[in-house]
């Protein structure tokens, strides 16, 4: 059973649009929620991360929204660009140790 | 530059063979991980090691074992490879600290025929 559930599986967005990817978790022991970006042929790389004591974190065009009571968090990519086309994984970890990943979202930003 | 190196990018093995996947990190990280990546299933944790000779099972340890004799090296062993173990295998490492980051290798694409 997957510890972190991610949707949608794939997403097509026009250039300049907003991409939104959602994740949900059950284990309230999780205390760290990173997002990873993976390009073809590469390993995933950290994009942005949030702790549960804040509701939002923004870095450039990328924003994480976190809803602790609903046990949900989401990634928003503003002004999406073709270079953002990649697979995105949400993850959750506790005690800064084990990372559990979602099933991934393949994003395609059309020019 | 941080680096996690997996020994092979592509491997083809026969059913029943014993397979070793090697991973080395040069960042003195305590934690090391082996994940399996399959379409629609994301990254699934096979095994986790938090110190030399220490290991914990992840979500899908069946058919796999691991070895960590030195801090920088973490090996994944398929005792008797089967076709359902055909997959992309990713190694990662991380520090035990607040806001830690998992650094990934480039992956090993294993095909079992």
């Amino acid at each position: 059973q997957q510890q972190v559930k991610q949707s949608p599986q794939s997403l097509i967005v026009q250039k300049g649009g907003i991409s939104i990817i959602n994740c949900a978790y059950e284990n309230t022991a999780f205390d760290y929620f990173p997002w990873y970006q993976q390009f073809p042929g590469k390993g995933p790389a950290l994009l942005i991360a949030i702790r549960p004591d804040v509701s939002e974190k923004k870095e450039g065009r990328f924003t994480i929204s976190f809803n602790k009571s609903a046990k949900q968090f989401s990634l928003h990519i503003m002004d999406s660009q073709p270079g953002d086309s990649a697979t995105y994984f949400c993850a959750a970890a506790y005690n800064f140790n084990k990372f559990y990943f979602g099933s991934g979202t393949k994003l395609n930003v059309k020019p | 530059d941080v680096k996690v190196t997996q020994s092979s990018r592509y491997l083809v093995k026969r059913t029943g063979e014993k397979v070793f996947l090697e991973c080395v990190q040069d960042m003195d990280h305590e934690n090391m991980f082996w994940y399996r990546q399959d379409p629609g299933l994301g990254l699934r944790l096979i095994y986790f090691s938090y110190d030399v000779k220490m290991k914990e099972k992840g979500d899908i340890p069946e058919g796999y074992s691991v070895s960590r004799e030195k801090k920088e090296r973490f090996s994944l062993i398929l005792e008797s490879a089967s076709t359902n173990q055909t997959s992309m295998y990713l190694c990662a490492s991380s520090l035990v600290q607040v806001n830690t980051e998992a650094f990934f290798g480039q992956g090993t694409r294993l095909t079992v025929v």
Side-chain angles (χ1 to χ4, degrees):
Chain A
Q1 185 180 351
Q2 203 137 21
Q3 300 243 14
V4 181
K5 294 186 178 166
Q6 183 172 347
S7 64
Q9 192 168 351
S10 63
L11 185 59
I12 299 173
V13 172
Q14 289 296 127
K15 179 182 174 183
I18 302 173
S19 304
I20 302 174
I21 305 170
N22 300 300
C23 286
Y25 64 97
E26 286 299 325
N27 188 345
T28 55
F30 288 138
D31 56 11
Y32 182 60
F33 300 89
W35 285 87
Y36 281 75
Q37 180 187 53
Q38 184 182 32
F39 293 105
K42 302 284 187 184
L46 179 66
L47 182 65
I48 186 173
I50 198 168
R51 300 281 308 280
D53 49 351
V54 298
S55 60
E56 187 175 281
K57 183 173 181 182
K58 185 174 180 179
E59 288 184 2
R61 297 183 293 109
F62 300 91
T63 299
I64 301 178
S65 297
F66 188 83
N67 185 330
K68 191 174 181 177
S69 60
K71 291 185 282 187
Q72 295 175 347
F73 57 111
S74 59
L75 176 70
H76 292 64
I77 306 174
M78 312 301 286
D79 187 26
S80 298
Q81 299 296 312
D84 297 331
S85 297
T87 299
Y88 292 82
F89 293 97
C90 60
Y94 53 88
N95 293 334
F96 315 113
N97 279 328
K98 280 191 205 179
F99 289 82
Y100 290 92
F101 286 83
S103 54
T105 298
K106 190 169 183 179
L107 172 65
N108 185 7
V109 181
K110 295 223 177 262
Chain B
D1 236 10
V2 296
K3 206 162 183 184
V4 177
T5 304
Q6 294 182 230
S7 53
S8 305
R9 288 297 301 273
Y10 301 94
L11 272 180
V12 180
K13 296 292 182 181
R14 295 198 177 276
T15 302
E17 272 193 81
K18 191 169 186 175
V19 181
F20 293 85
L21 302 184
E22 307 285 345
C23 175
V24 177
Q25 51 99 359
D26 64 358
M27 297 165 282
D28 202 34
H29 286 174
E30 297 93 346
N31 296 333
M32 295 189 75
F33 311 82
W34 275 105
Y35 289 92
R36 173 176 168 160
Q37 183 174 9
D38 298 289
L41 297 176
L43 301 171
R44 293 181 292 167
L45 182 64
I46 305 172
Y47 266 98
F48 161 62
S49 171
Y50 51 92
D51 202 350
V52 174
K53 297 189 189 292
M54 306 305 288
K55 62 187 179 187
E56 275 186 26
K57 292 180 180 179
D59 293 332
I60 52 164
E62 297 78 19
Y64 303 95
S65 63
V66 290
S67 172
R68 194 168 179 199
E69 296 296 318
K70 293 184 178 181
K71 191 176 185 180
E72 68 271 17
R73 188 179 295 270
F74 192 34
S75 303
L76 179 69
I77 304 155
L78 286 66
E79 298 290 343
S80 177
S82 64
T83 54
N84 63 12
Q85 292 178 310
T86 291
S87 187
M88 171 67 82
Y89 291 87
L90 287 162
C91 174
S93 70
S94 72
L95 278 171
V96 180
Q97 66 176 27
V98 175
N99 298 342
T100 189
E101 176 179 352
F103 291 88
F104 283 85
Q106 291 210 322
T108 296
R109 171 74 65 184
L110 173 67
T111 302
V112 182
V113 296

